[in-house]
Amino acid sequence: MLGEVKINMGNTANIITVETSARHVHVTEKDIARLFGEGHKLTEKKRLSQPTEFACEERVNIIGPKSEIKNVIILGPARKATQVEVSLTDARTLGINAPVRESGDVAGSGACKIVGPAGEIDISEGVIAAKRHVHLRPEDAEKIGVKEKQIVQVKVKTSDRALIFGDVVVRVNATFMPFMHIDTDEANACAASGNVEGEIIV
Ligand SMILES: [Zn+2]
């Protein structure tokens, strides 16, 4: 998600750019005030491939029962629920049980402490490993022949570790740009360095 923004739908509609999302945190307005001070506004550093989302200058530390991960990036804008997206390797390091979930589906997910420059919060749920997904516009979904929430496979064509991912959720919205998002464990599993190409298999 933080790589170069590059749209590549290739010759066929089924070819999509696969981006790696590193660990990050989404925060509520209330938690921005608690972590960074009353009246604080998130500082946009870089627009992401999904044009409504941006990487911020702000960083927090994530603390679990076993260890701490420092300098975790905040992604804006503010959300309805605070959510910490980590890899399963991160979750094991922290000692947190992070279920594989779609973004926003945080009920009963992992707990942690989040430490910012102005304060800290304990969240009882919100730590997840993001379920891998593709973002499509309605016109892309129509060309490919898929619908919102459909589960597809995506074949990632790296030179040394080509891999077919199953359980990929299709998300369709007019505000999206066509990209697949995987986490750092998944990127390592297929030796993806930077953005790579994937083929959606319906
Ligand atoms: Zn995404």
Side-chain angles (χ1 to χ4, degrees):
M1 193 183 281
L2 302 177
E4 279 295 298
V5 175
K6 181 182 76 169
I7 315 290
N8 187 356
M9 292 299 284
N11 295 325
T12 73
N14 290 44
I15 304 298
I16 193 160
T17 300
V18 181
E19 278 186 323
T20 304
S21 290
R23 67 177 79 96
H24 62 269
V25 178
H26 298 281
V27 279
T28 61
E29 292 286 4
K30 196 173 162 188
D31 288 345
I32 292 169
R34 286 164 161 170
L35 293 166
F36 299 101
E38 205 59 51
H40 185 88
K41 292 258 177 279
L42 290 175
T43 314
E44 179 174 338
K45 187 180 184 186
K46 186 173 187 270
R47 275 283 138 178
L48 301 178
S49 63
Q50 300 309 314
T52 58
E53 303 252 309
F54 54 90
C56 299
E57 297 284 358
E58 286 80 1
R59 298 285 193 283
V60 289
N61 296 342
I62 304 301
I63 302 178
K66 276 174 62 182
S67 66
E68 174 179 15
I69 298 178
K70 290 181 186 292
N71 279 321
V72 181
I73 196 167
I74 303 270
L75 298 191
R79 290 215 181 168
K80 279 187 213 148
T82 288
Q83 175 174 304
V84 178
E85 296 184 41
V86 293
S87 69
L88 293 177
T89 300
D90 289 340
R92 180 168 294 201
T93 302
L94 290 161
I96 297 170
N97 180 24
V100 175
R101 294 279 183 84
E102 281 190 64
S103 188
D105 178 15
V106 295
S109 61
C112 74
K113 184 187 286 288
I114 304 175
V115 181
E120 58 184 54
I121 55 172
D122 283 292
I123 59 168
S124 60
E125 61 185 26
V127 185
I128 64 167
K131 192 172 173 76
R132 49 190 174 238
H133 56 277
V134 291
H135 294 267
L136 297 173
R137 298 166 297 191
E139 59 266 38
D140 308 315
E142 196 180 354
K143 273 184 216 153
I144 299 167
V146 293
K147 289 191 162 62
E148 168 77 2
K149 300 279 183 200
Q150 189 170 334
I151 303 296
V152 295
Q153 295 183 323
V154 175
K155 182 178 184 181
V156 177
K157 299 165 184 176
T158 50
S159 53
D160 297 317
R161 282 185 162 185
L163 183 64
I164 298 175
F165 286 110
D167 296 315
V168 182
V169 187
V170 173
R171 294 171 52 195
V172 183
N173 193 293
T175 68
F176 288 162
M177 291 303 283
F179 281 90
M180 177 177 183
H181 285 149
I182 57 176
D183 72 12
T184 47
D185 280 352
E186 292 165 324
N188 287 336
C190 63
S193 91
N195 288 353
V196 295
E197 241 179 37
E199 180 187 350
I200 298 172
I201 303 166
V202 181

